[in-house]
Amino acid sequence: QVQLVESGGGLVQPGGSLRLSCAASGFTFSSYAMSWYRQAPGKEREFVAHINGVGDTYYAGSVKGRFTISSDNAKNTVYLQMNSLKPEDTALYYCQASGSWNTYWGQGTQVTVSS
């Protein structure tokens, strides 16, 4: 049974930091590219960051330089370190695993940036 379980969300003040985690199970983690997406209320889900099997990373322009994606194959976990958070980063953050034949999504973890 495939599972992607996000954690680490919460309420943080502007300028603060959070680290999201996504624990994967039920598939060969190292064979999948991993991404983070987010969806704010009333908006479309949007791409945030991506890491492929060889460690190449890609970021949305709005988070480049503030967010860092990383993965630990030994723990089957992908992380999103978020620094210098802004109110516009408030959203439900989703983890995605994409392979040659399948794409899986987690249930999301809420990030709220507010004073």
Side-chain angles (χ1 to χ4, degrees), residues 38-46 88:
R38 66 186 182 187
Q39 187 166 18
K43 294 189 176 181
E44 299 282 324
R45 189 174 298 189
E46 65 175 4
E88 51 263 43

Side-chain angles (χ1 to χ4, degrees), residues 2 4 24 27-37 47 49-53 78 95-105:
V2 172
L4 293 173
F27 62 97
T28 305
F29 182 78
S30 59
S31 297
Y32 281 69
M34 301 298 295
S35 301
W36 287 94
Y37 284 75
F47 167 77
H50 171 93
I51 186 166
N52 65 18
V78 63
C95 174
Q96 182 209 60
S98 57
S100 298
W101 306 105
N102 297 295
T103 298
Y104 305 117
W105 291 90

Side-chain angles (χ1 to χ4, degrees), residues 12-69:
V12 63
Q13 292 188 340
S17 298
L18 282 175
R19 188 175 84 151
L20 306 184
S21 299
C22 173
S25 61
F27 62 97
T28 305
F29 182 78
S30 59
S31 297
Y32 281 69
M34 301 298 295
S35 301
W36 287 94
Y37 284 75
R38 66 186 182 187
Q39 187 166 18
K43 294 189 176 181
E44 299 282 324
R45 189 174 298 189
E46 65 175 4
F47 167 77
V48 176
H50 171 93
I51 186 166
N52 65 18
V54 295
D56 295 327
T57 57
Y58 305 90
Y59 298 93
S62 59
V63 307
K64 198 169 186 179
R66 300 188 297 122
F67 291 10
T68 302
I69 188 170

